[in-house]
Amino acid sequence: ETKPVLKIEAGATLVLDNIIFKSGTATLEKESYASLKLLYQSLFDHPKLCISIHGHTDNVGSSADNLHLSSNRAQTIYNYLVKEGVDKKRLQFKGFGEDKPVSTNETSFGRKKNRRVEFLVRGTAF
């Protein structure tokens, strides 16, 4: 049986659409763990791979609150991966708040697209 893994290469940015947080918090919804396990497995299978975890929000609320929330969400993913055994040296995290939208904030669909966590593959650890 072949297990699914993420196709990862240096410089790639991955967005796992089903990493979902409870509204206004950095608490993961249960359905997020399948994707996180897939990410962990990919890191486990490629022990020299390093990633940056980037949190993003929509523009609802204050810029300061959104920056704080996005950072906390990125750190939640970081903490999960470290707890599972990924070396901290292989991971970085940062929140960008509402500063890097990928869609409009004028529609609920656009705001949902902007509320995301991205994983930037930085290459391999030495």
Side-chain angles (χ1 to χ4, degrees):
E1 178 183 328
T2 313
K3 55 187 169 192
V5 292
L6 300 172
K7 191 169 182 172
I8 300 177
E9 54 190 46
T13 299
L14 307 171
V15 179
L16 303 179
D17 290 329
N18 48 353
I19 293 182
I20 303 164
F21 295 91
K22 293 186 190 222
S23 181
T25 75
T27 303
L28 286 162
E29 295 283 5
K30 283 185 230 170
E31 58 265 32
S32 303
Y33 288 99
S35 288
L36 289 175
K37 287 178 183 172
L38 185 61
L39 177 62
Y40 165 77
Q41 187 63 50
S42 296
L43 289 166
F44 180 82
D45 291 345
H46 300 93
K48 293 186 183 274
L49 198 65
C50 297
I51 63 169
S52 292
I53 305 158
H54 295 171
H56 302 274
T57 66
D58 58 27
N59 69 348
V60 176
S62 76
S63 293
D65 287 347
N66 285 334
L67 184 59
H68 185 69
L69 179 60
S70 65
S71 182
N72 286 346
R73 287 178 171 181
Q75 186 171 11
T76 294
I77 305 300
Y78 170 90
N79 291 344
Y80 169 84
L81 293 170
V82 169
K83 182 176 165 243
E84 291 298 309
V86 178
D87 189 336
K88 291 178 184 182
K89 292 182 228 166
R90 298 174 58 199
L91 305 171
Q92 293 178 338
F93 69 91
K94 182 175 181 173
F96 291 91
E98 60 195 58
D99 292 343
K100 295 188 175 195
V102 293
S103 189
T104 180
N105 278 303
E106 302 304 313
T107 66
S108 61
F109 178 77
R111 288 188 297 274
K112 183 178 180 185
K113 296 280 288 178
N114 289 332
R115 295 187 301 263
R116 69 198 186 283
V117 177
E118 294 178 339
F119 304 93
L120 175 65
V121 181
R122 295 181 297 143
T124 56
F126 297 100

